[in-house]
Amino acid sequence: MMNFSGKSVYKGIAMGKVLLLDKGGEQVKRTHIDDIEAEKKRLEEAIENGKSQLQQLYEKAVKEVGEASAAIFEVHQMMMEDEDYLDAIHNMIESEQINAEFAVAQTGDNFSDMFAAMDDEYMRARSADIKDISNRIVDNLLGKAGMSGDSMEPSIIVADDLSPSETVQMDKEKILAFVTVHGSTNSHTAILARMMNIPALIGVPMNLEEIHSGMVAIVDGVNGEVIFEPDQETCLTAMNKIKDQEEQRLLLESLKGQETITKGGRKIHLYANIGSVSDVGYVLENDAEGIGLFRSEFLYLGRDDFPTEEEQFNAYKTVAQTMGNKKVIIRTLDIGADKQVDYFNLPKEENPAMGYRAIRICLTQTDIFKTQLRALFRAAVYGNISIMYPMIISVNEVRKIKAVVAEVEKELKELGIDYKIPEQGIMIETPAAVLMGDDLAKEVDFFSIGTNDLTQYTLAIDRQNNTLDAFFDSHHPAILKMIQMVVESAHKAGIWAGICGELGADPELTEKFVEMGVDELSVSPSMVLKLRKMIRDMSTTTPDFGR
Ligand code: PEP
Ligand code: MG
């Protein structure tokens, strides 16, 4: 047995076989071959398989993240047909009489280095794609099971770290749990795990060389523990916990369709957080009453260029239409800090979390901001959309936003385009916004507290840095005091206040939040029914702040 502790992202338990995603990849061995034609045939088959895997990935990604983000898989298919690339591989096989996998790996490295040295930024970015397609062909030649193939059995995914594009490729039905050496609680993997009710541990100090695919493991998100090769007794205990978990799930099912209201009659608006259009499925499945945070920046990630107004409009409209008359709060672009996108060409910064990000980008590069606002105002015609702005620190910023909104409205009106200016609020995620709450509340329609950033800026603890865990206290009295201040500022001005940061889903604080007068909690879809049950069991009578 090998035990490791990590940071739990979702408190579930899973047991099953490990699928190790070894991205370092072993060195491909060079071997001498006699039958050149047979080797070329093997290569041809591996490429054909690669192309059909990419086609499947493309179709899956179109459904899950939209056509623009899926396009990368089409590009990869075309790269597999590139004549220069194929000629170089064939030449190596023929002239050096070597195995196809070595020829592909070597050519992949050569081409990738060549692209990496180019001046053109677009071409430089292709370097990683060449590596990617070469690895896929090598894996096919070596007969390694892919992450997306039908052959994959339900597995516990173990990896050093997982990128958004890797998680998008996975067949989500077949993931029992995630365990990674790196990653942060706010990484895409973590968000995805919570979205899908999948146990996940990050920051696990395991040595991947001691772990191999096929090993049995137990991931216990409740105790923040992963156990490789558990003994029989440990397996039995885990099986009992899994059974309890299933019973609990069925109990929660019965809460679907019920109101989120305390016994004392206090109503809480219980919404869900999402990162992509396809996440709406989890929102509906868990019966959230709306979407309290749609992190729109995910539409900008994992691609080579800005999403167009039309692409954005379609994404927002789809979410709004799918949610019917339920509220959908879309947060404008929050790029920067941990969410870096090459094509934004953001400057390298010493301290990006406190740098050029979010609304600061939008108010400087107003073209980007206006495109998003146009898409949002047009989509607002199709459902119950609200907009919120991130990282606000001053009233002046809100006024600047209003000026841009007025410009966009004027343009849409002049062009005779159908639009609606929806309810607009701000995120309270900086200490300055808390302190300026009374003034800000007079300017906007609602407040949504982003406790992830508010905690990092208040406690001066980088939210990405696992090594500071010993100093991190998410229940720090300063944070709770700030939440109370925000709610009071909001109510004084007659607007509502909610929480959309991770703290909003902390069951240890739910009762406190309700008593404080928090009007809305927006949490990962997997937490909705759990919190509804807790709230329905409370007797709190704090008056409902009518909205
Ligand atoms: C927050 O900061 O709490 C928040 C909800 O925004 P994000 O996690 O996307 O920064
Ligand atoms: Mg934030």
Side-chain angles (χ1 to χ4, degrees):
M1 269 199 336
M2 280 191 288
N3 288 33
F4 298 98
S5 295
K7 211 180 209 175
S8 176
V9 167
Y10 178 74
K11 296 192 183 321
I13 300 174
M15 182 160 87
K17 286 198 182 150
V18 165
L19 180 69
L20 177 66
L21 268 195
D22 187 3
K23 283 187 274 176
E26 326 92 81
Q27 281 276 313
V28 176
K29 291 201 182 67
R30 176 190 180 112
T31 47
H32 175 86
I33 48 111
D34 293 318
D35 191 343
I36 290 174
E37 283 318 305
E39 205 57 20
K40 279 164 60 180
K41 181 117 192 29
R42 277 183 70 225
L43 173 69
E44 204 179 301
E45 279 169 15
I47 291 175
E48 280 316 306
N49 279 343
K51 284 198 283 191
S52 66
Q53 287 158 354
L54 287 166
Q55 183 58 28
Q56 281 174 23
L57 280 177
Y58 172 75
E59 286 162 16
K60 189 160 164 304
V62 166
K63 279 195 223 127
E64 292 183 1
V65 291
E67 213 153 304
S69 303
I72 188 69
F73 299 118
E74 269 191 328
V75 173
H76 280 197
Q77 284 182 68
M78 286 186 306
M79 288 173 111
M80 278 196 184
E81 289 168 0
D82 182 82
E83 268 182 38
D84 293 334
Y85 175 71
L86 293 177
D87 281 352
I89 300 172
H90 283 156
N91 271 341
M92 276 185 98
I93 297 177
E94 284 164 15
S95 59
E96 300 179 38
Q97 281 196 272
I98 51 161
N99 53 327
E101 37 280 65
F102 188 82
V104 173
Q106 190 67 51
T107 308
D109 284 349
N110 295 345
F111 272 63
S112 160
D113 290 348
M114 191 168 78
F115 277 99
M118 287 182 177
D119 287 335
D120 184 283
E121 197 175 332
Y122 177 82
M123 297 312 275
R124 267 205 312 272
R126 300 285 68 78
S127 166
D129 294 320
I130 294 273
K131 271 232 161 78
D132 225 356
I133 63 156
S134 304
N135 287 344
R136 181 177 292 284
I137 301 171
V138 170
D139 281 353
N140 286 342
L141 283 161
L142 295 171
K144 282 196 192 167
M147 280 298 307
S148 54
D150 291 339
S151 54
M152 179 181 152
E153 56 178 304
S155 307
I156 292 172
I157 310 298
V158 177
D160 188 51
D161 202 355
L162 290 167
S163 69
S165 73
E166 279 161 338
T167 45
V168 117
Q169 293 183 43
M170 296 177 189
D171 183 344
K172 310 208 173 39
E173 297 292 310
K174 294 185 176 163
I175 305 171
L176 296 175
F178 288 115
V179 185
T180 60
V181 178
H182 295 108
S184 76
T185 34
N186 299 304
S187 63
H188 193 58
T189 311
I191 290 171
L192 193 74
R194 283 192 287 262
M195 197 79 70
M196 301 191 305
N197 304 6
I198 289 177
L201 285 186
I202 54 172
V204 178
M206 54 194 171
N207 178 359
L208 292 183
E209 285 181 9
E210 290 171 3
I211 291 154
H212 55 81
S213 294
M215 258 181 177
V216 172
I218 295 168
V219 180
D220 183 342
V222 182
N223 294 327
E225 197 179 29
V226 54
I227 306 162
F228 294 99
E229 298 188 309
D231 59 24
Q232 212 177 0
E233 201 186 321
T234 314
C235 285
L236 275 176
T237 315
M239 274 151 81
N240 283 334
K241 285 187 184 169
I242 291 170
K243 202 168 132 251
D244 289 351
Q245 177 177 279
E246 186 54 20
E247 278 168 14
Q248 188 63 19
R249 196 185 64 76
L250 291 174
L251 188 78
L252 292 178
E253 282 282 309
S254 66
L255 287 166
K256 288 191 183 169
Q258 307 274 347
E259 256 195 304
T260 308
I261 190 163
T262 67
K263 287 200 187 97
R266 165 104 162 96
K267 167 106 188 75
I268 298 294
H269 297 266
L270 190 52
Y271 297 161
N273 295 347
I274 64 166
S276 73
V277 177
S278 63
D279 294 343
V280 178
Y282 300 111
V283 176
L284 298 174
E285 197 180 307
N286 290 283
D287 196 38
E289 293 149 32
I291 292 171
L293 167 64
F294 178 178
R295 290 181 161 96
S296 72
E297 59 276 8
F298 278 104
L299 295 176
Y300 294 71
L301 297 179
R303 46 184 297 150
D304 296 328
D305 206 349
F306 294 97
T308 62
E309 178 181 327
E310 231 34 48
E311 282 173 271
Q312 292 193 57
F313 164 67
N314 284 326
Y316 306 143
K317 178 177 156 197
T318 306
V319 175
Q321 282 181 326
T322 318
M323 292 298 290
N325 55 11
K326 291 181 178 162
K327 199 186 271 296
V328 176
I329 305 177
I330 303 176
R331 171 178 72 191
T332 57
L333 189 58
D334 187 12
I335 282 299
D338 52 315
K339 296 163 198 146
Q340 289 292 335
V341 183
D342 284 350
Y343 59 83
F344 271 74
N345 289 321
L346 298 178
K348 278 259 169 303
E349 293 174 307
E350 282 286 315
N351 201 345
M354 295 195 185
Y356 185 52
R357 58 173 293 197
I359 203 68
R360 299 168 188 181
I361 298 179
C362 289
L363 288 176
T364 321
Q365 304 190 51
T366 42
D367 284 354
I368 300 173
F369 193 30
K370 283 168 105 178
T371 304
Q372 181 168 39
L373 289 176
R374 266 196 307 272
L376 285 165
F377 297 165
R378 286 172 55 204
V381 174
Y382 297 87
N384 187 3
I385 286 182
S386 301
I387 301 177
M388 67 178 172
Y389 304 102
M391 287 295 294
I392 298 295
I393 55 168
S394 68
V395 169
N396 196 20
E397 280 171 347
V398 176
R399 299 219 171 115
K400 282 187 184 156
I401 293 170
K402 285 183 180 174
V404 180
V405 167
E407 273 178 48
V408 172
E409 179 173 18
K410 185 164 171 273
E411 285 161 20
L412 288 169
K413 201 180 273 173
E414 277 169 8
L415 291 168
I417 294 170
D418 227 8
Y419 73 92
K420 186 179 157 204
I421 305 291
E423 183 190 43
Q424 291 167 77
I426 53 171
M427 291 197 60
I428 303 288
E429 49 184 348
T430 61
V434 177
L435 295 173
M436 296 308 294
D438 287 352
D439 299 297
L440 288 165
K442 291 181 194 141
E443 302 281 335
V444 298
D445 298 321
F446 65 92
F447 282 165
S448 186
I449 309 173
T451 50
N452 306 337
D453 278 316
L454 185 59
T455 308
Q456 99 163 327
Y457 297 130
T458 305
L459 304 185
I461 289 184
D462 177 357
R463 65 191 260 188
Q464 299 282 102
N465 190 342
N466 286 340
T467 55
L468 295 172
D469 281 358
F471 298 93
F472 182 78
D473 173 11
S474 63
H475 294 191
H476 195 293
I479 306 299
L480 300 179
K481 198 166 172 181
M482 283 183 158
I483 294 173
Q484 184 69 77
M485 286 169 71
V486 174
V487 172
E488 279 166 15
S489 294
H491 289 181
K492 247 192 285 171
I495 63 168
W496 61 267
I499 302 178
C500 65
E502 294 303 311
L503 202 62
D506 185 336
E508 286 177 34
L509 292 174
T510 313
E511 185 149 17
K512 197 165 193 56
F513 290 151
V514 175
E515 278 166 2
M516 278 178 172
V518 170
D519 303 290
E520 176 242 24
L521 291 172
S522 189
V523 299
S524 71
S526 60
M527 287 303 291
V528 168
L529 293 172
K530 230 175 265 179
L531 293 192
R532 179 171 298 156
K533 175 154 182 15
M534 290 189 62
I535 293 169
R536 285 174 67 86
D537 288 343
M538 286 174 197
S539 50
T540 319
T541 53
T542 1
D544 188 5
F545 180 74
R547 50 166 168 135

